[in-house]
Structure formats: structure tokens, C-alpha cells
Amino acid sequence: MNLLSSNDLTRDAIKEIFGIAERLSSGKERVELKEHTTMALFFEEPSTRTRVSLEAAITQLGGMPIYIDAHSSQRIRGEALADTAKVLSLYCDFIAVRMNSHEGLLEIAANSKVPVINALTSLEHPTQALADVYTIIAHKGEPRNLRIAFIGDIAQNTANSLMLTAAKLGAKISLVGPDACKPNSIYFNKAREYSKVDLSSSIEEGLEDADIVYTDTFVSMGDEDEAAARRKLFAPYQLNADSLAYAKKDALVMHPLPAHRGEEITADVIDGKRSIVWEQAANKLLLEKAVLIYLSGKR
Ligand code: CP
């Protein structure tokens, strides 16, 4: 089994992964993967958290990571992704992939004999969403009682994966962004099969009754050529003290990082008392361990 999309996981599978994470966190589960388990990290894009947490996760489970900067592999000289995938899966037990092209990820998965994990594409960030929703539940409890607002660029990977994962568990989602930015219709419509998903360009309306207010960068990887235009478009949707005031009084603030203080979020908000971004980041390691255990069938 692969984890390519948040849609690969049923509600029960998400709960099972959360159960593994819970047991790991409480010390009730001490799982070691089979001896000398290796995970290739085939990364075409930069990463701090996902790379290091995946490397730490496999190491803490008794295995070993092998980081491949795609730009210094034969890929840069034109080796086919399919051939790369076939070879990596001859040597390694897992392949984690970070690349802009979601189609490229699917091609790797189609040619791999071992589980492939999406470590971010332009469309999805499923391991991030697992850490996010796990963190939300730890603070706010049953997702069915929650309203999660995503403010800013609502058409990108973390928004897609978060809305799908959270909606599958019954959370209500509110997407808040400029009229010129529409959510990806595939993820929007899919998430609506599971829960209420609202779309608004009004911050007041979109953040009303929100238990969680989530934002992410206005300039994602691959969007650099349009950076100035994107900053201008999304500027009114900055998460700051004024916008946060429309949410519930005890609403918490999330951001997957890296953050750009003064752009999508202000320093007083991300570094303030209502921010849970560091716990959110810490939980990436826990949830990636849980995903590796889940995919290895050791449960
Ligand atoms: N949140 C996240 O994916 O961070 P990195 O880009 O540093 O991996």
C-alpha cells in the first residue's frame, strides 16, 4: 500500500494511524521495523521538517534513511522516473518522494515494488494533514464538533489534504480566500461528500465560530515567478490579530511552516499564546512513525 493522497486513507485507516501514534506517544507501543529497513527519500524540492522528521522516524524505528537529492542523481541527466523508481525499490523498503509534479509521484508509485509515501507534491501533503488533524484532536477533541478555517491560499496542497482528512473525520471546513482564488474542485467536492465545506471571501463570515484558524505561505514552491502578484492578491487575507478576532475566543492557530512573518501571518499571532505550530511540527515525527508502521503491516 502507498500513501500518495489523503484520499488513500479511509476514515478507519486514519483512526488506525492515530491509534498507533497514540500508543507510540504513551510508550505502550515499541515497534521496530524489520532489521535493516531502509527508506529512500527522493526529493526534488527543498525541505526541512519533512525530510528530517522522516529520517528521524525511520531511524527511531530501527531502520535507516537514504537521502537522494534528485538534482544530484542521474535524474538530472534525464533518467526516466520509472527506471529510477524500479531501481530504488530494488534497494529500499520504502520510497518517500517530494516533487512538484503529482503525476511524477504516481509514475514512481506505478513502478515501485515497495510502498511510496507522498512527502509533498503541488497537489497534496498527506503526512502533514495527518499530523495537523492529530494535533487538532489533541487540543479540541471530537472533530465532528469542530469548525476548521483555512485562510489565504485555499487552492494549494496543504489545504487540499487538510480538508480531505479533517472532513473524513466529520470536521466542518471553512475556506477563506479572495474571489480570484478558487479551491481545487476535485478536493473541494470530495471533502463535501464527508462533511460541510464552506467557501467565502469574507473573513468575518469565514472565521465565524472557527475553533482552528490555519494558514500557509502565499508563495508555494513552484509559484516563485508569480510571487509579487500572489503576495498582493492574498495580502488582505493575512492571519493577524484583527482577522483572528472573528474566530472563537479560544480558537487556536496553525501553520505547517516555513512561515513568513509579516506576509501570511504576523509574528504576534504565530509566536503568541494561541499558536500550536511547534506541537504541530513535532507531531510530524510521531505521525510519520505511525504511517511507516501502518504501511509495513506491523500492527
Ligand atoms: N511543513 C513542511 O512540509 O515543511 P518542510 O517544507 O520544511 O518539509
Side-chain angles (χ1 to χ4, degrees):
M1 187 193 170
N2 299 313
L3 178 50
L4 306 178
S5 165
S6 296
N7 208 32
D8 289 343
L9 299 173
T10 61
R11 185 171 188 272
D12 286 348
I14 297 168
K15 290 183 135 190
E16 193 171 340
I17 291 169
F18 286 179
I20 297 169
E22 194 62 48
R23 292 194 295 281
L24 283 170
S25 168
S26 66
K28 286 186 188 145
E29 187 146 319
R30 293 196 184 280
V31 179
E32 293 254 314
L33 298 176
K34 83 175 161 54
E35 210 178 351
H36 306 310
T37 295
T38 49
M39 175 163 64
L41 286 91
F42 184 77
F43 276 37
E44 281 190 356
E45 301 289 338
S47 170
T48 300
R49 279 144 291 272
T50 310
R51 174 186 172 176
V52 176
S53 55
L54 279 168
E55 292 200 17
I58 188 88
T59 306
Q60 290 180 15
L61 293 173
M64 192 187 139
I66 300 173
Y67 182 75
I68 303 133
D69 171 3
H71 300 292
S72 61
S73 73
Q74 293 290 4
R75 173 78 183 137
I76 200 71
R77 297 178 59 241
E79 182 166 20
L81 272 179
D83 294 351
T84 305
K86 281 177 194 158
V87 168
L88 292 181
S89 72
L90 294 175
Y91 305 143
C92 298
D93 302 286
F94 295 97
I95 306 175
V97 179
R98 173 170 285 211
M99 60 196 311
N100 228 343
S101 164
H102 197 78
E103 292 72 29
L105 170 77
L106 300 182
E107 195 178 343
I108 289 178
N111 288 281
S112 170
K113 294 186 196 316
V114 299
V116 175
I117 298 168
N118 179 348
L120 183 145
T121 64
S122 60
L123 279 185
E124 288 210 46
H125 202 355
T127 61
Q128 179 70 50
L130 288 170
D132 295 344
V133 176
Y134 184 87
T135 308
I136 290 169
I137 293 171
H139 279 272
K140 293 287 184 184
E142 172 57 44
R144 283 179 199 282
N145 302 328
L146 302 179
R147 186 161 198 249
I148 301 171
F150 191 110
I151 182 169
D153 180 4
I154 54 177
Q156 42 89 305
N157 43 24
T158 50
N160 292 341
S161 284
L162 178 69
M163 80 169 118
L164 212 45
T165 305
K168 278 192 178 187
L169 297 185
K172 293 177 249 340
I173 310 292
S174 172
L175 302 174
V176 192
D179 284 327
C181 175
K182 299 287 178 226
N184 180 306
S185 59
I186 293 171
Y187 293 91
F188 184 65
N189 291 330
K190 193 80 200 160
R192 285 184 132 182
E193 290 176 18
Y194 300 103
S195 187
K196 191 168 187 295
V197 185
D198 297 326
L199 173 62
S200 178
S201 57
S202 156
I203 297 173
E204 182 174 359
E205 184 184 295
L207 264 55
E208 189 183 8
D209 280 337
D211 300 280
I212 297 288
V213 186
Y214 194 118
T215 193
D216 195 357
T217 179
F218 291 161
V219 185
S220 294
M221 286 182 277
D223 291 333
E224 288 80 3
D225 290 348
E226 303 161 13
R230 293 177 67 83
R231 286 189 184 106
K232 191 169 170 205
L233 174 68
F234 292 115
Y237 292 86
Q238 182 187 66
L239 180 52
N240 54 37
D242 290 341
S243 49
L244 187 57
Y246 291 116
K248 281 185 178 170
K249 292 279 171 280
D250 62 350
L252 297 174
V253 167
M254 298 181 77
H255 189 308
L257 305 173
H260 308 84
R261 289 171 176 76
E263 284 189 27
E264 73 273 9
I265 193 164
T266 52
D268 59 318
V269 168
I270 194 167
D271 300 319
K273 286 195 179 117
R274 292 161 73 179
S275 167
I276 52 172
V277 300
W278 308 113
E279 185 181 336
Q280 180 186 359
N283 280 337
K284 283 172 73 83
L285 170 60
L286 179 64
L287 270 296
E288 284 158 4
K289 283 198 279 191
V291 165
L292 289 171
I293 292 167
Y294 178 81
L295 293 179
S296 71
K298 256 184 164 282
R299 57 187 191 277

